[in-house]
């Protein structure tokens, strides 16, 4: 049995992993679907603290992060590397120390009243995924989770790491890691790269294949 912590990106809760968690549980694994706090005033540091608190009660965890959560799992694992067996980045990666999600995106988000609203349309169309589920079940994202830099040291680098690439290829990653500082930490020893061509939201569009990749199949 493996213990999985599944951490979602912007606007999503633990429910986003339902179709991935089901086959993992059916195979006998212990699966925790994390809902990061999305209350006004919450920051990226708060999310790291929340996740570190969950890790502190577990061991040998496969820590999985999608999109924004890639930065959060990196910082949490850096604090408690002895609790983590592997880091898995789903269409995301570790940001350099001191970089925020807004830095990566290239601009500050539009955030009325300190919250980033769910877009009316999907940021990019994706076969097999209806954005309506995010509009119906998602929540606005606290702006501090996008604008606060995420801090980490080097302890997480000793952990095995898997990148599951969905909206870009391994070849594209190789080029980005060599030329773009935001992608620099996604190269080097310790990485296993897998491709799942679909789009940025594979937990909705190809959940069974994603679950299979999480188990190493």
């Amino acid at each position: 049995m493996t213990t999985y912590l599944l951490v979602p990106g912007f606007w999503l809760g633990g429910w986003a992993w339902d179709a991935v968690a089901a086959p993992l549980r059916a195979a006998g694994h212990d699966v925790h679907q994390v809902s990061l706090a999305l209350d006004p005033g919450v920051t990226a540091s708060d999310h790291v603290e929340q996740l570190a608190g969950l890790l502190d009660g577990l061991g040998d965890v496969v820590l999985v992060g999608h999109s924004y959560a890639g930065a959060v799992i990196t910082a949490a694992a850096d604090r408690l590397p002895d609790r983590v067996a592997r880091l898995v980045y789903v269409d995301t990666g570790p940001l350099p120390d001191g970089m925020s999600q807004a830095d990566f995106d290239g601009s500050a988000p539009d955030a009325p009243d300190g919250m980033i609203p769910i877009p009316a349309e999907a940021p990019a169309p994706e076969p097999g995924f209806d954005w309506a589920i995010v509009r119906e079940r998602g929540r606005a994202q606290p702006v501090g989770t996008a604008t606060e830099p995420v801090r980490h040291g080097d302890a997480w680098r000793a952990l095995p790491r898997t990148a599951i690439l969905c909206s870009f290829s391994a070849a594209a990653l190789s080029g980005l890691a060599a030329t773009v500082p935001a992608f620099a930490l996604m190269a080097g020893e310790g990485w296993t790269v897998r491709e799942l061509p679909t789009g940025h939201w594979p937990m909705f569009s190809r959940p069974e294949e994603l679950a299979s990749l999480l188990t190493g199949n």
Side-chain angles (χ1 to χ4, degrees):
M1 182 189 75
T2 300
T3 299
Y4 292 90
L5 256 66
L6 308 179
V7 189
F10 273 15
W11 308 300
L12 305 176
W15 55 267
W17 297 100
D18 284 351
V20 177
L24 293 176
R25 291 194 177 105
H29 300 299
D30 181 24
V31 183
H32 301 255
Q33 297 171 239
V34 178
S35 290
L36 296 173
L38 296 180
D39 302 309
V42 168
T43 65
S45 292
D46 294 324
H47 283 170
V48 174
E49 291 283 353
Q50 180 185 348
L51 188 56
L54 294 174
L55 278 177
D56 197 32
L58 300 169
D60 293 324
V61 172
V62 175
L63 185 54
V64 182
H66 168 251
S67 195
Y68 155 76
V72 178
I73 68 169
T74 303
D78 193 64
R79 295 189 185 188
L80 295 165
D82 58 320
R83 303 303 177 99
V84 180
R86 176 172 290 274
L87 289 164
V88 181
Y89 296 87
V90 179
D91 216 45
T92 187
L95 295 180
D97 175 53
M99 178 175 281
S100 70
Q101 183 67 37
D103 293 332
F104 177 80
D105 293 339
S107 63
D110 182 19
D113 301 320
M115 301 294 285
I116 305 170
I118 299 170
E121 303 292 337
E126 183 171 332
F129 170 41
D130 186 351
W131 185 249
I133 190 173
V134 180
R135 291 199 308 268
E136 292 166 3
R137 300 192 63 182
R139 293 176 57 192
Q141 186 82 18
V143 69
T145 63
T147 57
E148 184 187 40
V150 176
R151 308 306 309 229
H152 59 74
D154 291 328
W156 67 276
R157 293 179 186 243
L159 297 169
R161 305 176 298 283
T162 298
I164 299 177
L165 308 181
C166 305
S167 61
F168 57 103
S169 67
L173 173 60
S174 180
L176 289 166
T179 59
V180 181
F183 288 85
L185 295 179
M186 294 187 72
E189 295 183 1
W191 280 100
T192 299
V193 177
R194 298 285 184 262
E195 293 185 339
L196 180 61
T198 174
H200 190 57
W201 313 87
M203 66 280 292
F204 298 114
S205 58
R206 297 182 67 178
E208 292 185 358
E209 294 96 324
L210 178 55
S212 181
L213 287 174
L214 292 180
T215 61
N217 297 326

